[in-house]
Amino acid sequence: MLALMGYVLFNVGDTIFIYLEIFPKLILVLSALIPSIVLRVRHQSEAVEGALIPMFLLFITMEAFAILPSFYDYYGIYIISYYISTCITRSFMLSAAMSLLFASILNLQSESISKMNIYVLFGIISSIIISFIMPVDEINPQNNVHTIFFTMTVLIIFILADITYFFAFLKNRESYKIKRFLTLFFLSTGQFLIILSNDYITTNIVGMVLSITGALMLCLVSPDGY
């Protein structure tokens, strides 16, 4: 994925494609990939939540699959069909949302939940199944009822996860709780805007700013054990 983005950036190409498609997705990938590496190097956590946050970041990174069909439109390079790309991107988006929701629940309770790994696995498998059975409209992809339903579902899950993190802060007023809430709020909102912005410049810019802010916070101010 990064190699394809590099190919476009370092070769003469359509500037609209670069600014509306490549650059925002590149920021999205780096905003998730770099913090995940930093967390693995600097922080250690045995809590279940500590394993879910890197998983959340991994799913965000994989959402860049959404860009693949565009290479055919701009360069005539066929990599993957729009249908498959959409299903894969949906599954990663929904899995990211579910991972963050489970992590927020664990953070609120401040303890591991028995059999949580089973719930997480069930959530991811369900996300993949739902994403592949939901119809994909290639003619009117942004405004059909299935896309709207999926978008609202992911948005609601992210909102619930972020609210749960905020409640965790209100529960004991620990400063790192609000840092964690802000960090994951910025990342989840930023990636949501970039992937589902319908290539609007404003939403892409806001999404990139939020993603970069969240990534920097996660790298610099995340407490030990994240």
Side-chain angles (χ1 to χ4, degrees):
M1 189 68 66
L2 288 175
L4 288 172
M5 292 180 180
Y7 169 81
V8 175
L9 290 175
F10 290 102
N11 289 274
V12 178
D14 195 309
T15 55
I16 295 178
F17 180 55
I18 291 175
Y19 288 117
L20 291 184
E21 294 277 0
I22 291 292
F23 196 62
K25 303 302 190 303
L26 180 60
I27 293 296
L28 176 69
V29 170
L30 295 178
S31 296
L33 183 61
I34 294 176
S36 64
I37 295 174
V38 172
L39 289 177
R40 284 302 180 191
V41 173
R42 292 181 54 191
H43 305 297
Q44 297 296 326
S45 175
E46 295 181 357
V48 178
E49 187 213 7
L52 290 177
I53 293 178
M55 185 181 296
F56 162 68
L57 295 173
L58 173 62
F59 288 135
I60 288 181
T61 303
M62 302 304 291
E63 288 172 12
F65 266 96
I67 201 175
L68 294 182
S70 300
F71 281 91
Y72 180 78
D73 297 331
Y74 287 89
Y75 296 98
I77 302 175
Y78 181 82
I79 301 174
I80 193 172
S81 69
Y82 178 81
Y83 172 79
I84 296 297
S85 172
T86 300
C87 291
I88 292 175
T89 303
R90 283 177 176 177
S91 65
F92 285 133
M93 283 201 72
L94 200 52
S95 295
M98 294 296 293
S99 298
L100 188 62
L101 180 60
F102 283 129
S104 67
I105 294 172
L106 288 171
N107 185 57
L108 179 64
Q109 294 194 354
S110 299
E111 60 182 358
S112 297
I113 299 177
S114 60
K115 298 182 180 180
M116 175 53 73
N117 288 333
I118 297 178
Y119 298 142
V120 173
L121 180 61
F122 175 77
I124 294 174
I125 293 176
S126 299
S127 300
I128 296 173
I129 293 175
I130 292 172
S131 300
F132 274 85
I133 64 175
M134 184 177 295
V136 175
D137 188 347
E138 299 188 33
I139 298 177
N140 189 28
Q142 297 296 332
N143 299 316
N144 69 85
V145 64
H146 304 294
T147 299
I148 294 173
F149 173 78
F150 175 81
T151 302
M152 294 305 299
T153 300
V154 172
L155 180 61
I156 290 172
I157 295 175
F158 274 131
I159 290 175
L160 289 175
D162 291 326
I163 289 175
T164 306
Y165 267 106
F166 186 69
F167 281 158
F169 162 71
L170 296 177
K171 184 178 179 181
N172 51 27
R173 302 287 179 169
E174 295 177 352
S175 62
Y176 80 89
K177 296 282 188 179
I178 193 64
K179 293 176 183 177
R180 187 176 310 192
F181 159 70
L182 290 173
T183 295
L184 297 175
F185 171 77
F186 290 149
L187 281 172
S188 61
T189 305
Q191 63 92 29
F192 183 86
L193 292 176
I194 290 174
I195 294 297
L196 299 174
S197 66
N198 196 21
D199 295 335
Y200 292 126
I201 295 177
T202 302
T203 51
N204 268 325
I205 291 175
V206 174
M208 287 188 289
V209 170
L210 292 176
S211 296
I212 293 172
T213 303
L216 289 175
M217 288 183 64
L218 197 55
C219 290
L220 299 176
V221 303
S222 179
D224 289 347
Y226 29 100

